[in-house]
Amino acid sequence: MSEEQRRQLQQQLWNIANTLRGKMNADEFRDYILGFIFYKYLSEKIQRYADSLLEQDELKFAGLDENDEEDAEYIAAVKDVTVKELGYFLKPSELFPSLKAELKN
């Protein structure tokens, strides 16, 4: 990437950020965005880890229904392991893609 292309890309990214933040100041916007990025990272990490735990049962963590009794047992088992191994837990409905889908509705 040439220096000119890099400069144009940087300018485009700043313009997008300015459009997204609207009247919010840059520091406040940064705090929100960094929080969302970190939440997305945690969500993806737990989803990959849970999927690896559920692989032998041919299940995907995001596809488990918390209201279904059998799926709830899988979720509880995943929770026990992930809290011990990762130090946190998110339910399938709390994963980033689920929250994103809710916001679109």
Side-chain angles (χ1 to χ4, degrees):
M1 178 180 285
S2 74
E3 190 60 37
E4 178 61 22
Q5 289 173 322
R6 173 179 256 121
R7 189 192 62 72
Q8 287 177 349
L9 178 60
Q10 183 179 15
Q11 186 59 48
Q12 285 178 323
L13 291 174
W14 274 113
N15 290 341
I16 290 168
N18 285 333
T19 301
L20 287 173
R21 72 179 172 91
K23 296 184 189 288
M24 186 184 297
N25 78 37
D27 289 335
E28 189 178 12
F29 180 72
R30 181 199 62 222
D31 293 343
Y32 282 107
I33 291 301
L34 289 176
F36 279 120
I37 291 169
F38 185 62
Y39 187 77
K40 186 174 188 280
Y41 165 78
L42 292 175
S43 176
E44 290 172 350
K45 183 173 181 174
I46 199 166
Q47 189 171 357
R48 279 192 308 272
Y49 187 75
D51 284 348
S52 71
L53 295 173
L54 297 167
E55 188 174 21
Q56 67 186 25
D57 295 312
E58 298 179 354
L59 296 171
K60 294 288 184 185
F61 185 63
L64 296 178
D65 180 0
E66 297 160 34
N67 298 315
D68 180 80
E69 192 174 313
E70 185 178 341
D71 285 358
E73 290 178 21
Y74 280 109
I75 292 169
V78 168
K79 180 180 180 179
D80 289 341
V81 175
T82 56
V83 167
K84 289 177 188 169
E85 293 297 317
L86 302 179
Y88 71 99
F89 177 73
L90 297 171
K91 295 184 241 177
S93 64
E94 298 169 337
L95 295 174
F96 191 83
S98 298
L99 294 178
K100 184 178 166 187
E102 279 185 43
L103 290 174
K104 286 186 177 180
N105 295 334

